[in-house]
Short mmCIF file of all heavy atoms in Angstrom, two decimals:
data_model
loop_
_atom_site.label_atom_id
_atom_site.label_comp_id
_atom_site.label_asym_id
_atom_site.label_seq_id
_atom_site.Cartn_x
_atom_site.Cartn_y
_atom_site.Cartn_z
N ALA A 12 57.84 60.75 -73.76
CA ALA A 12 59.10 59.95 -74.21
C ALA A 12 58.75 58.55 -74.52
O ALA A 12 59.19 57.99 -75.51
CB ALA A 12 60.19 60.09 -73.16
N LEU A 13 57.94 57.84 -73.55
CA LEU A 13 57.52 56.47 -73.78
C LEU A 13 56.67 56.38 -75.04
O LEU A 13 56.88 55.47 -75.90
CB LEU A 13 56.81 56.01 -72.62
CG LEU A 13 57.69 55.49 -71.44
CD1 LEU A 13 56.83 55.15 -70.19
CD2 LEU A 13 58.49 54.27 -71.85
N LEU A 14 55.72 57.29 -75.23
CA LEU A 14 54.89 57.27 -76.38
C LEU A 14 55.62 57.45 -77.66
O LEU A 14 55.42 56.73 -78.64
CB LEU A 14 53.71 58.34 -76.19
CG LEU A 14 52.79 58.43 -77.36
CD1 LEU A 14 51.94 57.20 -77.39
CD2 LEU A 14 51.95 59.68 -77.22
N LEU A 15 56.56 58.39 -77.63
CA LEU A 15 57.35 58.66 -78.81
C LEU A 15 58.28 57.45 -79.12
O LEU A 15 58.41 57.10 -80.31
CB LEU A 15 58.27 59.90 -78.54
CG LEU A 15 59.07 60.45 -79.72
CD1 LEU A 15 58.12 60.82 -80.92
CD2 LEU A 15 59.95 61.56 -79.28
N SER A 16 58.86 56.82 -78.22
CA SER A 16 59.72 55.61 -78.51
C SER A 16 58.87 54.44 -78.89
O SER A 16 59.26 53.80 -79.83
CB SER A 16 60.65 55.21 -77.22
OG SER A 16 59.72 54.70 -76.19
N PHE A 17 57.61 54.27 -78.34
CA PHE A 17 56.83 53.25 -78.88
C PHE A 17 56.42 53.43 -80.29
O PHE A 17 56.47 52.56 -81.20
CB PHE A 17 55.53 53.09 -77.93
CG PHE A 17 54.62 52.08 -78.45
CD1 PHE A 17 54.89 50.75 -78.22
CD2 PHE A 17 53.46 52.39 -79.05
CE1 PHE A 17 53.99 49.75 -78.64
CE2 PHE A 17 52.52 51.48 -79.42
CZ PHE A 17 52.76 50.12 -79.28
N ALA A 18 55.94 54.72 -80.60
CA ALA A 18 55.58 55.01 -81.93
C ALA A 18 56.68 54.85 -82.94
O ALA A 18 56.47 54.34 -84.09
CB ALA A 18 55.02 56.44 -82.08
N SER A 19 57.92 55.26 -82.57
CA SER A 19 59.06 55.09 -83.55
C SER A 19 59.28 53.59 -83.70
O SER A 19 59.66 53.10 -84.87
CB SER A 19 60.26 55.84 -83.02
OG SER A 19 60.69 55.32 -81.79
N GLY A 20 59.23 52.78 -82.72
CA GLY A 20 59.42 51.36 -82.77
C GLY A 20 58.37 50.73 -83.73
O GLY A 20 58.70 49.84 -84.55
N VAL A 21 57.19 51.17 -83.60
CA VAL A 21 56.09 50.58 -84.51
C VAL A 21 56.39 50.98 -85.94
O VAL A 21 56.33 50.13 -86.82
CB VAL A 21 54.65 51.10 -84.05
CG1 VAL A 21 53.70 50.78 -85.03
CG2 VAL A 21 54.28 50.41 -82.64
N LEU A 22 56.84 52.20 -86.11
CA LEU A 22 57.05 52.72 -87.53
C LEU A 22 58.23 51.98 -88.08
O LEU A 22 58.16 51.52 -89.20
CB LEU A 22 57.34 54.23 -87.45
CG LEU A 22 57.49 54.91 -88.82
CD1 LEU A 22 56.22 54.85 -89.67
CD2 LEU A 22 57.92 56.31 -88.65
N VAL A 23 59.33 51.86 -87.34
CA VAL A 23 60.47 51.12 -87.91
C VAL A 23 60.14 49.67 -88.21
O VAL A 23 60.56 49.10 -89.24
CB VAL A 23 61.64 51.27 -86.90
CG1 VAL A 23 62.78 50.36 -87.24
CG2 VAL A 23 62.16 52.69 -86.91
N GLY A 24 59.36 49.05 -87.29
CA GLY A 24 59.02 47.70 -87.53
C GLY A 24 58.14 47.45 -88.75
O GLY A 24 58.34 46.48 -89.44
N TRP A 25 57.27 48.37 -88.93
CA TRP A 25 56.36 48.33 -90.10
C TRP A 25 57.13 48.52 -91.33
O TRP A 25 56.87 47.70 -92.38
CB TRP A 25 55.34 49.47 -90.00
CG TRP A 25 54.49 49.64 -91.17
CD1 TRP A 25 53.62 48.69 -91.75
CD2 TRP A 25 54.24 50.94 -91.89
NE1 TRP A 25 52.99 49.27 -92.80
CE2 TRP A 25 53.29 50.57 -92.85
CE3 TRP A 25 54.71 52.15 -91.80
CZ2 TRP A 25 52.89 51.57 -93.91
CZ3 TRP A 25 54.31 53.16 -92.68
CH2 TRP A 25 53.45 52.73 -93.72
N GLN A 26 58.15 49.46 -91.37
CA GLN A 26 58.87 49.60 -92.56
C GLN A 26 59.79 48.46 -92.83
O GLN A 26 60.04 47.99 -93.92
CB GLN A 26 59.76 50.95 -92.44
CG GLN A 26 58.94 52.25 -92.45
CD GLN A 26 58.29 52.48 -93.85
OE1 GLN A 26 58.82 52.03 -94.78
NE2 GLN A 26 57.06 53.09 -93.76
N ALA A 27 60.35 47.83 -91.82
CA ALA A 27 61.20 46.69 -91.97
C ALA A 27 60.46 45.55 -92.50
O ALA A 27 60.88 44.71 -93.34
CB ALA A 27 61.85 46.29 -90.60
N ASN A 28 59.21 45.35 -92.12
CA ASN A 28 58.27 44.26 -92.64
C ASN A 28 57.99 44.53 -94.12
O ASN A 28 58.00 43.52 -94.86
CB ASN A 28 57.05 44.17 -91.75
CG ASN A 28 56.31 42.90 -91.97
OD1 ASN A 28 56.86 41.84 -92.21
ND2 ASN A 28 54.97 42.90 -91.89
N ARG A 29 57.73 45.75 -94.44
CA ARG A 29 57.45 46.03 -95.89
C ARG A 29 58.57 45.77 -96.66
O ARG A 29 58.48 45.19 -97.77
CB ARG A 29 57.09 47.59 -96.07
CG ARG A 29 55.69 47.90 -95.70
CD ARG A 29 55.36 49.37 -95.90
NE ARG A 29 55.46 49.59 -97.38
CZ ARG A 29 55.89 50.78 -97.92
NH1 ARG A 29 56.29 51.78 -97.12
NH2 ARG A 29 55.88 50.90 -99.17
N LEU A 30 59.81 46.08 -96.19
CA LEU A 30 61.04 45.77 -97.01
C LEU A 30 61.29 44.30 -97.16
O LEU A 30 61.70 43.74 -98.12
CB LEU A 30 62.20 46.45 -96.28
CG LEU A 30 63.56 46.55 -97.03
CD1 LEU A 30 63.40 47.41 -98.33
CD2 LEU A 30 64.63 47.07 -96.10
N ARG A 31 61.00 43.58 -95.99
CA ARG A 31 61.16 42.08 -96.04
C ARG A 31 60.22 41.45 -97.07
O ARG A 31 60.58 40.55 -97.79
CB ARG A 31 60.91 41.64 -94.75
CG ARG A 31 61.05 40.05 -94.46
CD ARG A 31 60.86 39.63 -93.03
NE ARG A 31 60.75 38.19 -92.98
CZ ARG A 31 59.65 37.48 -93.09
NH1 ARG A 31 58.50 38.23 -93.37
NH2 ARG A 31 59.57 36.21 -93.10
N ARG A 32 58.98 41.92 -97.09
CA ARG A 32 58.06 41.34 -98.02
C ARG A 32 58.41 41.60 -99.47
O ARG A 32 58.26 40.79 -100.33
CB ARG A 32 56.59 41.93 -97.73
CG ARG A 32 55.87 41.16 -96.63
CD ARG A 32 54.48 41.61 -96.42
NE ARG A 32 54.48 42.87 -95.75
CZ ARG A 32 53.70 43.95 -95.94
NH1 ARG A 32 52.82 43.82 -96.88
NH2 ARG A 32 53.79 44.96 -95.18
N ARG A 33 58.89 42.91 -99.75
CA ARG A 33 59.34 43.09 -101.06
C ARG A 33 60.53 42.31 -101.42
O ARG A 33 60.56 41.86 -102.57
CB ARG A 33 59.77 44.67 -101.13
CG ARG A 33 58.52 45.59 -101.17
CD ARG A 33 58.96 47.05 -101.33
NE ARG A 33 59.68 47.24 -102.49
CZ ARG A 33 60.44 48.38 -102.73
NH1 ARG A 33 60.51 49.32 -101.85
NH2 ARG A 33 61.19 48.52 -103.75
N PHE A 34 61.47 42.10 -100.51
CA PHE A 34 62.69 41.23 -100.81
C PHE A 34 62.18 39.79 -101.10
O PHE A 34 62.62 39.18 -102.14
CB PHE A 34 63.58 41.24 -99.65
CG PHE A 34 64.61 40.13 -99.80
CD1 PHE A 34 65.60 40.23 -100.66
CD2 PHE A 34 64.53 39.00 -98.99
CE1 PHE A 34 66.63 39.25 -100.82
CE2 PHE A 34 65.50 38.05 -99.10
CZ PHE A 34 66.53 38.09 -99.99
N LEU A 35 61.20 39.31 -100.37
CA LEU A 35 60.74 37.97 -100.61
C LEU A 35 59.98 37.79 -101.89
O LEU A 35 60.16 36.83 -102.63
CB LEU A 35 59.82 37.51 -99.44
CG LEU A 35 60.52 37.30 -98.09
CD1 LEU A 35 59.58 36.97 -96.99
CD2 LEU A 35 61.59 36.16 -98.29
N GLN A 36 59.23 38.82 -102.31
CA GLN A 36 58.62 38.88 -103.60
C GLN A 36 59.59 38.86 -104.71
O GLN A 36 59.46 38.06 -105.73
CB GLN A 36 57.61 39.97 -103.68
CG GLN A 36 56.40 39.87 -102.88
CD GLN A 36 55.52 41.17 -102.86
OE1 GLN A 36 55.94 42.13 -103.40
NE2 GLN A 36 54.35 41.04 -102.38
N TRP A 37 60.63 39.73 -104.57
CA TRP A 37 61.69 39.76 -105.61
C TRP A 37 62.36 38.43 -105.71
O TRP A 37 62.65 37.96 -106.91
CB TRP A 37 62.69 40.90 -105.24
CG TRP A 37 63.89 40.84 -106.08
CD1 TRP A 37 64.04 41.39 -107.36
CD2 TRP A 37 65.13 40.19 -105.67
NE1 TRP A 37 65.32 41.13 -107.76
CE2 TRP A 37 65.99 40.45 -106.85
CE3 TRP A 37 65.66 39.53 -104.61
CZ2 TRP A 37 67.31 39.91 -106.84
CZ3 TRP A 37 66.90 38.99 -104.62
CH2 TRP A 37 67.78 39.25 -105.81
N ARG A 38 62.73 37.81 -104.61
CA ARG A 38 63.39 36.47 -104.56
C ARG A 38 62.56 35.38 -105.28
O ARG A 38 62.92 34.58 -106.08
CB ARG A 38 63.84 36.06 -103.22
CG ARG A 38 64.68 34.82 -103.27
CD ARG A 38 65.26 34.53 -101.89
NE ARG A 38 64.29 34.08 -101.01
CZ ARG A 38 64.43 33.65 -99.76
NH1 ARG A 38 65.66 33.66 -99.25
NH2 ARG A 38 63.46 33.19 -99.04
N LYS A 39 61.25 35.42 -104.92
CA LYS A 39 60.30 34.46 -105.47
C LYS A 39 60.25 34.67 -107.02
O LYS A 39 60.29 33.57 -107.80
CB LYS A 39 58.95 34.58 -104.89
CG LYS A 39 57.95 33.68 -105.40
CD LYS A 39 56.55 33.84 -104.75
CE LYS A 39 55.48 33.02 -105.31
NZ LYS A 39 54.13 33.27 -104.70
N ARG A 40 60.17 35.81 -107.51
CA ARG A 40 60.12 36.15 -108.93
C ARG A 40 61.35 35.75 -109.64
O ARG A 40 61.30 35.07 -110.69
CB ARG A 40 59.87 37.62 -109.16
CG ARG A 40 58.89 37.98 -110.19
CD ARG A 40 58.58 39.47 -110.40
NE ARG A 40 59.50 40.41 -109.73
CZ ARG A 40 59.26 41.16 -108.68
NH1 ARG A 40 58.13 41.14 -108.07
NH2 ARG A 40 60.20 41.98 -108.23
N ARG A 41 62.54 36.06 -108.99
CA ARG A 41 63.79 35.60 -109.56
C ARG A 41 63.91 34.11 -109.72
O ARG A 41 64.32 33.53 -110.72
CB ARG A 41 64.94 36.23 -108.79
CG ARG A 41 66.30 35.99 -109.29
CD ARG A 41 67.41 36.53 -108.48
NE ARG A 41 67.38 36.06 -107.06
CZ ARG A 41 68.20 35.17 -106.59
NH1 ARG A 41 69.12 34.73 -107.37
NH2 ARG A 41 68.17 34.75 -105.38
N LEU A 42 63.58 33.40 -108.61
CA LEU A 42 63.69 31.92 -108.66
C LEU A 42 62.68 31.34 -109.65
O LEU A 42 62.97 30.33 -110.30
CB LEU A 42 63.42 31.35 -107.26
CG LEU A 42 64.58 31.64 -106.26
CD1 LEU A 42 64.10 31.16 -104.92
CD2 LEU A 42 65.85 30.95 -106.67
N GLN A 43 61.50 31.89 -109.76
CA GLN A 43 60.58 31.47 -110.75
C GLN A 43 61.07 31.66 -112.21
O GLN A 43 60.87 30.76 -113.04
CB GLN A 43 59.17 32.18 -110.56
CG GLN A 43 58.00 31.57 -111.30
CD GLN A 43 57.70 30.18 -110.92
OE1 GLN A 43 57.59 29.89 -109.77
NE2 GLN A 43 57.57 29.21 -111.96
#
Side-chain angles (χ1 to χ4, degrees):
L13 280 173
L14 180 66
L15 188 62
S16 71
F17 177 76
S19 65
V21 167
L22 185 65
V23 167
W25 173 56
Q26 291 296 328
N28 195 33
R29 282 185 62 211
L30 192 61
R31 181 178 169 272
R32 277 185 283 141
R33 285 182 56 196
F34 167 73
L35 290 175
Q36 287 173 352
W37 170 81
R38 188 172 70 173
K39 180 180 176 183
R40 222 175 19 249
R41 184 177 61 102
L42 290 174
Q43 190 65 49

